[in-house]
Amino acid sequence: MVLFACTAPRAEQPQRPETSTAVATKQPVELVGNSSIASHKQKATYSLVIHRSDKRLEVLNSQGDRLYEAPIGIGQGGMKEKQDMADLVTPTGEMTVDLILYKKSAYNQIASQNVQRFAQNPQFRPLVIQPQGLVQLFQNMSRLDFDGNGSPDKAYGDGYIGLTSETTITGPKMSTFASTPYWFSIALHGTPNPKNIGQANSGGCVHLAPDTLKQLIEQKWVQLGTAVKIVD
């Protein structure tokens, strides 16, 4: 079964993503005491390189030494330039992490730019303004039935690492599917189907095996601001 979790069906397809510049708010957003909210520009110790052609992920330290590598899955749209969120292509380019959702909620993080952007919307505000909201957001995403078979797809596995970029399409981000708020972007995330690893089966995101996702998040190789470069 192929899950298009990174791409909403055409009937629910959001409008073309806005630019990565945060939308100006009419008044400052008061952030509840929350260490999980931070700038996605913060300095990061590690970086990731995703190789589309051989479906492989590398973790590099600050000196550029490879610490870890693992097989991944990519978008079924092929080795093309990404044109929009419906083309099923995993984009190439330089990106940074701006959201982390995980089965262990202590690791959840959201960039302050995302909070400022979406907290003015009454439907999205509870999900981005405080830690418990991020827990609810991931629960929403895990319950979605993208394939319409009447049961939750659990399409994101154990976790979700959202990406943003100033030079390539990464999504509208906060959106809705069947009236349920969820995060809709290019991401590194889990998969309920182990056979997706090493294949081009995703809707544009990078599929990770459970152990790979655990290593990235629990070793803190990936945090807000971590650079992710996707190359051929």
Side-chain angles (χ1 to χ4, degrees):
M1 175 180 67
V2 177
L3 301 176
F4 297 153
C6 302
T7 304
R10 294 189 182 279
E12 293 265 349
Q13 186 67 33
Q15 296 178 352
R16 187 173 182 83
E18 303 169 11
T19 62
S20 59
T21 302
V23 175
T25 59
K26 295 182 180 179
Q27 53 185 337
V29 176
E30 180 182 354
L31 303 182
V32 177
N34 181 3
S35 61
S36 68
I37 296 174
S39 169
H40 76 262
K41 297 294 186 181
Q42 68 188 50
K43 184 177 180 180
T45 304
Y46 304 99
S47 62
L48 273 58
V49 180
I50 306 292
H51 299 268
R52 289 198 311 182
S53 57
D54 56 359
K55 302 176 183 65
R56 177 170 54 91
L57 172 150
E58 295 178 313
V59 178
L60 309 179
N61 65 16
S62 57
Q63 288 75 45
D65 302 319
R66 186 173 64 196
L67 302 180
Y68 176 85
E69 66 176 346
I72 59 164
I74 65 169
Q76 64 179 264
M79 309 288 286
K80 305 172 185 176
E81 181 179 352
K82 191 166 188 64
Q83 300 296 323
D84 58 55
M85 288 295 286
D87 61 16
L88 311 184
V89 171
T90 299
T92 57
E94 296 183 356
M95 308 171 200
T96 56
V97 173
D98 68 346
L99 177 74
I100 298 174
L101 303 173
Y102 190 48
K103 64 179 182 179
K104 298 180 181 179
S105 62
Y107 292 94
N108 289 348
Q109 301 179 63
I110 185 170
S112 60
Q113 290 86 342
N114 289 331
V115 177
Q116 292 289 337
R117 179 177 175 183
F118 294 110
Q120 299 302 316
N121 184 316
Q123 184 180 25
F124 300 149
R125 180 181 175 88
L127 300 174
V128 301
I129 202 68
Q130 52 191 343
Q132 187 58 37
L134 298 181
V135 175
Q136 183 62 55
L137 178 60
F138 193 52
Q139 289 175 350
N140 285 358
M141 293 164 67
S142 298
R143 290 198 297 262
L144 294 175
D145 178 19
F146 290 108
D147 60 12
N149 69 354
S151 62
D153 291 343
K154 300 181 180 179
Y156 304 101
D158 291 339
Y160 184 97
I161 301 168
L163 301 177
T164 192
S165 174
E166 297 180 355
T167 57
T168 190
I169 295 168
T170 54
K173 303 191 183 295
M174 188 64 83
S175 186
T176 59
F177 179 85
S179 301
T180 299
Y182 82 118
W183 201 262
F184 174 32
S185 78
I186 296 299
L188 318 178
H189 65 72
T191 171
N193 187 354
K195 294 181 180 180
N196 284 331
I197 305 303
Q199 303 299 319
N201 285 341
S202 87
C205 289
V206 174
H207 279 149
L208 304 178
D211 186 63
T212 301
L213 192 60
K214 179 179 179 179
Q215 292 288 330
L216 294 180
I217 294 177
E218 296 192 18
Q219 294 290 340
K220 296 187 176 179
W221 289 336
V222 167
Q223 299 194 67
L224 294 182
T226 297
V228 178
K229 187 174 184 179
I230 303 181
V231 300
D232 283 331

